[in-house]
Each structure stands twice: as C-alpha cells, then as structure tokens.
Amino acid sequence: VSERLLACALAGDSAALARLLSEIERGGGIAPALMDEVFARSGRAEVIGVTGPPGAGKSTLVAALIAELRRRGKRVAVLAVDPSSPLTGGAILGDRVRMAAISTDPDVFVRSMASRGELGGLALAAPAAIRLLDASGMDVVLVETVGVGQNEVAIAACADCVVLVLAPGAGDGVQAMKAGVLEIADVIAVNKADLPGAEQARADVAAALRLGAGARRVPTVLLTVAESGKGVAELAEAFERRVASQREDGQLAERRLERLRREALERAGWVVRRRILEHPERWLDAALLAGLAERTRDPASVGEAIADRALAAAADERP
Amino acid sequence: VSERLLACALAGDSAALARLLSEIERGGGIAPALMDEVFARSGRAEVIGVTGPPGAGKSTLVAALIAELRRRGKRVAVLAVDPSSPLTGGAILGDRVRMAAISTDPDVFVRSMASRGELGGLALAAPAAIRLLDASGMDVVLVETVGVGQNEVAIAACADCVVLVLAPGAGDGVQAMKAGVLEIADVIAVNKADLPGAEQARADVAAALRLGAGARRVPTVLLTVAESGKGVAELAEAFERRVASQREDGQLAERRLERLRREALERAGWVVRRRILEHPERWLDAALLAGLAERTRDPASVGEAIADRALAAAADERP
C-alpha cells in the first residue's frame, strides 16, 4: 500500500478508503509506518457501537441515525461488523444502506466487514478500520454488530458509547442480560416502539437495570421507531451527551487509552500464537512428541509445557 | 473433579459423563493427571464429523444415523457443537434428540456444547470432550456442528472422517465450496433427496469435485432422506469404509497424531495469549505505554514488539 493511496484516503476519497479497509480486513493490514500515521491523526471521531439481537431492527435504526446525524452536519461512517463466517450471515447492512439515497452523499461512508482469515482476526481488524475512518475526517463512526454474544461484546468495546437495540417481545431483554450486554450498554433503544408490548419491554429493561445498578452509571432508555424516525433525534442526542460528559470528566481519554493497551496486548497474544503454530518444530521437541504419540501426555498438558517454556524465558529477561 | 467421578464416567455412567463434560465445556477442564488417564484410554472410537449449512437437515440425519449405528450394535455418542454465542442458536439438537425414544437407550449419549468463556475455548474443549466420550467406551462419536464456516472447519478437523450434508437448492454446494468445506469432506450426503432438484444438486457437487480433484481422494457422494431413512445405511457404510481404509494404510494413526500436535500447539498459543492479557504490567513497559498515550506508535506495532520480546527470549534458550 502506497503513501499516495493513504494520502487520498485521509483526504476523504471513498475509493481509496475502501481499498485500504479491504487490506485491513484481509488481515495483512497496512505497513506499520502508515498505520502509525493513521494512528497519529485519529482520536477525533466519536465511535458509537450499535448492538442487539437479530430482528431488533438495528440496520434500519442505523440508516435513520445516518440521516439524523447528516441533518446535524456530521460526516458519518458506518462499519457493519459480522463476526460470524462469511457464509452464515453478514455483509447485508452495508449493501442495503449503500443502495439507499444515502449512497450519493459524499459525507457518508458505509462498509461491512466480515470475519476472514483466522479466528479473532476481526477483533484486531475492527479497531484498525475504525482508526482509519476516524483519521479520514469522519465525525461519527457507527459500529454495528450482527447478533449478540461474546464477539459482539468484544467489538462493542471499541466504542466510546454503546447503544443496545432491543425490540418488544421475544424476551430479548432477558437474553441480553444473560449475555452481559446490558452491562456494557450506555444507551438502550427499545425499537419498534409502535408494536404492542413496547412499554412493557421498557419496564422490563428498567427493572433489569435496577437489579444490576451499582457503582456504574445507569443507561438511558429510549423508545424508537426506526421506520418513522420517531425517537431517533433523541437517541442521537443521548449518545452525543454521553460522549460529551465523558469528555468533560476526563473518562473519554482514559477509556480510550485503556482500549489501546488492551488491543496491543491482544495483538501480542495473537502474534505469539501465530508464530508458535507456524514453527511447530521450534516448540514440540522429541520428548513432548513421544508423549503425544504414546498417549502418555495429554495435548493440553503438552500445550501448557510449551507455553511455560516460551514465557518463562521471556519473564526471566524482564527487568 | 474426583478420580471416583472419572471412574464412573469411564465405566459408562451417563450422569458422571455429563458432569465431566460440563467441566470441560466451562473451560476449566479436568485435572491434568485425570486427563492423562482419559488420553491413555482413548483412541478406540471412530470420530465422524457432520457439518453443513443450516437447513440441510443435519440434526434429523444424525438422529437417523444413531438408529442405524445402534442396529449395528455400536455404542454411539453425539456431540453437537455450536461455535456461535449461547444466544444466537445452539443447544437445540441435543435437547431434541434427548427427548426422542433414543434417550432411553443406555448405549446412546447425546450432548450439546456451546461456546462459553473466551473466544476459541470451544476449539480446545471439543477435542477433550471427544477423548472423554471415546475413553468411556463409545464406538462412534458423531460431532455435529451448527453452521458452516471457519470454526466449523476447525472442529471438523477433530474427526477421522467428515460428512458434509447439503440439501437441494439454495446454492449450498457453491457456498460450501467457497468456505473450503468441500475440501475437507470425505463423504457428501445430498439430503432431502425426495425434494425436486436433488439429482441436480448431486451433479453440481460432482462437477465441483471434479474441478477441485487433484492428489486427494475424491469424496463419496450419496443421496439421503433422513426423514424416511433412505440412504442412511449406505451413509454409515461409507464412513465406516472410509475409516477402515485409513486404518489399513496407516493414515489413521498418522492423521490422529498430526491432530494431537496441532491441538497441543493451539493450546500453547492460547495459554500464552491468556497469560499476556492477565499480566499486562509484565509486558507493556513505560516506553510502549507512552507510544500509545501520545499516539506515536500504533497498537499493532506495540503488540508486535511485545511478541518479539516474549519469543526472542524463548528462542535464544532453545537448543
């Protein structure tokens, strides 16, 4: 990837941006020197995670949010992230929104990102993609995840503010609680609020929040109807207020640094793992191999032994 | 976990087996000495992976296979593996089959396993669970995965023989090819063969296989109707023949050892990763932290630096 391509992307050229995002998605990433430049220029955009169970209407709500944020004069990027395989879902929102009227607006950039390459690749690719969108001059980056679960929680952790989208019925509130998603939500949108049961869903969520309320800040709960736009302005206000208040009390910078630390450590873990898998001969000596072949030593125990060796040596060297 | 519980499980007690599998699923695993014992007693069962896209009828086909294998006097275990989050699917097959007539048969054990705890946990838990079922005296362990994709390919790699289940229509054949699943299949069942388009689906698969045919053995393609049992005996014969032929030419032992090596290395990678994340202070020194805080050094580059340190020290120590 050339410096020139990066320069175009940072100047806001959509085609260049798309090409660089493909590089990041493929897992190869961009040359370290260029990524350092992207990093240096990032930190300005507000990153809003949008998550929730399938069927809650996330995609439609995101489309409505784009329109609302454009009315406020913001440049908006959407990164629709699908941690499941390329086969079982994914890449839907991006295509849908891209086809809408929005696609002709130069200040909107929509992109979906699926899990390619090895497991966990997306968890590392997503923050890099967000930084690139940020550095290219977007004011708001909406990170939409498909589904609710472990991976989505991990990706929501890229965000300054997490919006959880629920819909009346189907026990979504309870399910979300189980998955620990309620705990990471800053704003909760009970969407499809024109359906029967919306008030009940809001009450259920509020009750669940009271149960879990402790030291942490209680999330704002709103009713929205993405189709008609009802409540969407209030939703945008809620997350902007949330980011502003974090900025004022210094939490924003602190949380962002914590995320960067975590990302660096995750990356280190993945790199170590990859290198061990790439050079088995360096790690599996004859004695360990014999243990496996003769079934005297379980693979888990052999794995622990390899890890002990790798890190013991490194730990000794540390100051 | 006590030795006594393990003794009960190895003697075929279902309740004890279920408890130990829960321990493995939770990620804590069983005490290494006990796992070594399980490992020593394993290696007798035939492990058959059953994979394919949602809607192909895997669960029904697995139920029919259980009945067929029982007719042949085999003890059968089913491990239904769901790599997606506990929320978005999973744990369905186990419940369904458990309720059927089969559940009263002491020589059938059905269990579903979902992804709990950290990402990748399942990839390590599944082989351990299979070894326990094997050591408990099962003749055949059917490992069914939900969905098709990266994770499923990884889990199918636990098996001596992989059965890919497809259904007519929906371009499943093409999708499976894209995901590289066709390449790992030893036997392909075109299920729901009473639907229109079954012959076409078989022809499509055969054509795709001819394209990809090279040094490797071409998979057997069969038509099945899980509901009526049509083709199920032939399917059981096909995978048993496949395992038998691998046993004769020595490939079975070789492939199993290769899987154990890979599992040990994977485990090592995960352990290293976990330890790095658990003790950030050992790895992120002041200079690296400053790079992140001042945005002069990208998290990816910081991660690589940490990995270099960890493994360079270990590599120096290696003979």
Side-chain angles (χ1 to χ4, degrees), chain A residues 207-222:
Chain A
L209 289 172
R210 273 194 301 277
L211 278 176
R216 72 182 288 271
R217 196 190 149 107
V218 175
T220 309
V221 184
L222 293 166

Side-chain angles (χ1 to χ4, degrees), chain A residues 36 39 42 85 87 119 148 151 175 264 266 272-273 275 282 295 297-298 303-304 308-309 318, chain B residues 36 39 42 85 87 119 148 151 175 264 266 272-273 275 282 295 297-298 303-304 308-309 318:
Chain A
D36 283 346
F39 185 42
S42 68
S85 80
L87 270 185
L119 197 74
V148 174
N151 298 336
Q175 297 259 11
E266 274 284 3
V272 168
R273 177 178 166 280
R275 291 193 198 164
R282 276 191 209 149
R295 296 193 170 253
R297 195 165 179 187
D298 181 73
E304 295 274 346
D308 282 344
R309 278 187 204 171
R318 314 259 48 216
Chain B
D36 283 344
F39 185 42
S42 68
S85 80
L87 270 185
L119 198 75
V148 174
N151 298 335
Q175 297 258 10
E266 274 284 3
V272 168
R273 177 179 166 276
R275 292 193 196 163
R282 276 192 209 149
R295 295 193 171 253
R297 193 165 181 188
D298 181 72
E304 296 272 348
D308 282 343
R309 277 187 204 172
R318 312 261 47 218

Side-chain angles (χ1 to χ4, degrees), chain A residues 12-79:
Chain A
D13 180 289
S14 294
L17 208 47
R19 260 191 69 188
L20 288 179
L21 286 170
S22 296
E23 293 291 330
I24 291 172
E25 187 181 27
R26 249 194 294 277
I30 302 179
L34 298 185
M35 277 315 286
D36 283 346
E37 194 184 333
V38 168
F39 185 42
R41 286 163 175 267
S42 68
R44 220 185 50 79
E46 295 177 356
V47 182
I48 312 296
V50 181
T51 190
K58 288 189 298 296
S59 304
T60 318
L61 193 58
V62 163
L65 276 172
I66 294 172
E68 174 62 28
L69 292 166
R70 288 299 300 130
R71 265 193 291 277
R72 294 163 183 243
K74 309 267 187 179
R75 296 190 66 201
V76 188
V78 177
L79 192 68

